[in-house]
Amino acid sequence: MDLDAVELAFSKNFEEFGELGASVSIWKEGVEVLNLADGWCEREKVHPWNSATIVPFYSATKALASATLLILLEENGLSPDDLVCRVWANFPNSSATFAELLSHQCGLAALDQKSSVFEHEEVIAAIEAQEPNWDLGDGHGYHPRTFGFLVDEPVRLLTGKRLGEVFRERIAEPLGLELWIGLPESEFDRVATLYPGKMNKSDLASGFYKEFNQSGTLVRQAFSSPSGLQGVHEMNTSKAWQAGLPAMGGVGTAQGLAKFYQVAIGAIPFFSDDVLNWMRTPVVTGDDRILMTPTRFSCGFQLDPLDENGDKIRHNYGKGMHAFGHPGAGGSHAFGDPDTGISYAYIMNQMDLSVLPGAKSMGIIETL
């Protein structure tokens, strides 16, 4: 592993790609081997960015939320093959399993009934009333917003607590991870300011953004329901940090995310063998109805999709065939590779306009 080359790739992000503030953390076989942090927490350049800086990392949160639900299923004598309705009696598809829920197959990506991300019971009512966007067994599509409520509700039913509370108690605190799904006020002064990315002509030409920018499409509805926190500026508020949204509300350090994936690949003993296997074993693959590109999911995590020859179509998770993780909108990204023992995380505050990892993170991964 050429860590000097990785450091040069990190520096290139500031010199060539307009990075403002960022951290990268790389671990191997239970030990952090590289921790880089540079830049600024805001455009006014008042507070230098350092390794203790925390920032919202959007959908990278989904992995943390999924792990929380998986450990609770195991503790309650359940597995991903069990029906969701065994825990959630009013779930709108009585034949759906937790594996199908966690791999975005249930067709609940967009909601017809209006609801707010800040009103959990309101969203749950909308989910329970929803006619699925597609039939179970007829493919899959990323659930950008509803996913958090789909995993939070079973956790609440099993424990009586919000998912973010259980994550802190059962995973983050025992492992010393500076990660939160619901940030306490004591950490507010550590949060960097997020800035939105700009759309260019190549973005406008893509099938995803054509659908995203067209009113009434399933893609547009999936990214706008339930409502709230649509703009990046809204994510810079304490209300957003404290909301504890398991689909997109995580806040923390790159070190915390990279260490989480050391645990997820078994380099740091913590999860049972069953939970480790549920995280990394592919459940569904194919053309994604929402992201408009091939995707592959395990129980709550992404893997690189494969072509007909079994070769990777993309390398968002490096060269390893069993590597898995989850990106966040704008450029945050984290994953682990059980074959090499390596885990990686990148967080930043100058967002790109992408839902999959962009040039800044991919340049480091290719070097790594």
Side-chain angles (χ1 to χ4, degrees), residues 46 60 62 112 163 200 215 233 255 267 280 283 293 296 336 356:
V46 176
K62 289 181 171 71
D112 296 324
L163 187 146
N200 58 42
S215 179
H233 68 281
Q255 184 182 61
R280 68 182 65 169
V283 174
T293 189
R296 189 162 63 131
L356 293 173

Side-chain angles (χ1 to χ4, degrees), residues 69 72-73 76 78 87 98 153-161:
L69 177 55
L72 290 177
L73 290 180
N76 285 273
L78 300 168
V87 175
F98 281 102
E153 182 65 5
V155 169
R156 294 186 187 212
L157 291 168
L158 288 169
T159 68
K161 298 179 180 179

Side-chain angles (χ1 to χ4, degrees), residues 278-319:
W278 297 337
M279 291 178 181
R280 68 182 65 169
T281 303
V283 174
V284 68
T285 187
D287 291 334
D288 193 299
R289 290 171 174 267
I290 303 301
L291 296 181
M292 309 293 288
T293 189
T295 55
R296 189 162 63 131
F297 288 96
S298 64
C299 288
F301 297 78
Q302 286 190 22
L303 302 92
D304 285 318
L306 308 178
D307 64 18
E308 61 275 9
N309 297 317
D311 297 321
K312 285 194 172 192
I313 296 172
R314 295 189 294 268
H315 291 85
N316 289 345
Y317 302 101
K319 293 183 178 180

Side-chain angles (χ1 to χ4, degrees), residues 101-235:
L101 181 151
L102 287 164
S103 58
H104 304 266
Q105 295 185 69
C106 288
L108 298 169
L111 302 177
D112 296 324
Q113 191 169 299
K114 290 184 178 180
S115 56
S116 164
V117 293
F118 296 109
E119 299 295 336
H120 179 84
E121 296 304 327
E122 189 175 86
V123 179
I124 297 306
I127 289 172
E128 293 178 348
Q130 182 64 40
E131 183 73 23
N133 310 138
W134 61 84
D135 292 335
L136 193 66
D138 190 19
H140 73 286
Y142 185 56
H143 290 45
R145 291 178 151 248
T146 57
F147 185 89
F149 296 90
L150 293 172
V151 293
D152 197 356
E153 182 65 5
V155 169
R156 294 186 187 212
L157 291 168
L158 288 169
T159 68
K161 298 179 180 179
R162 299 172 61 178
L163 187 146
E165 296 176 68
V166 180
F167 168 72
R168 282 297 302 172
E169 292 173 2
R170 302 300 307 280
I171 298 176
E173 289 179 357
L175 291 166
L177 306 180
E178 292 204 294
L179 302 172
W180 294 267
I181 307 174
L183 190 68
E185 189 173 349
S186 60
E187 310 300 325
F188 284 2
D189 61 355
R190 299 172 57 190
V191 185
T193 302
L194 288 171
Y195 296 93
K198 295 181 180 179
M199 183 173 288
N200 58 42
K201 290 182 179 179
S202 64
D203 293 322
L204 290 169
S206 73
F208 169 77
Y209 279 106
K210 283 181 179 178
E211 293 290 307
F212 179 80
N213 289 312
Q214 184 175 338
S215 179
T217 64
L218 181 61
V219 173
R220 180 68 171 267
Q221 291 174 326
F223 279 87
S224 58
S225 61
S227 65
L229 299 180
Q230 306 292 154
V232 172
H233 68 281
E234 295 177 86
M235 293 295 288

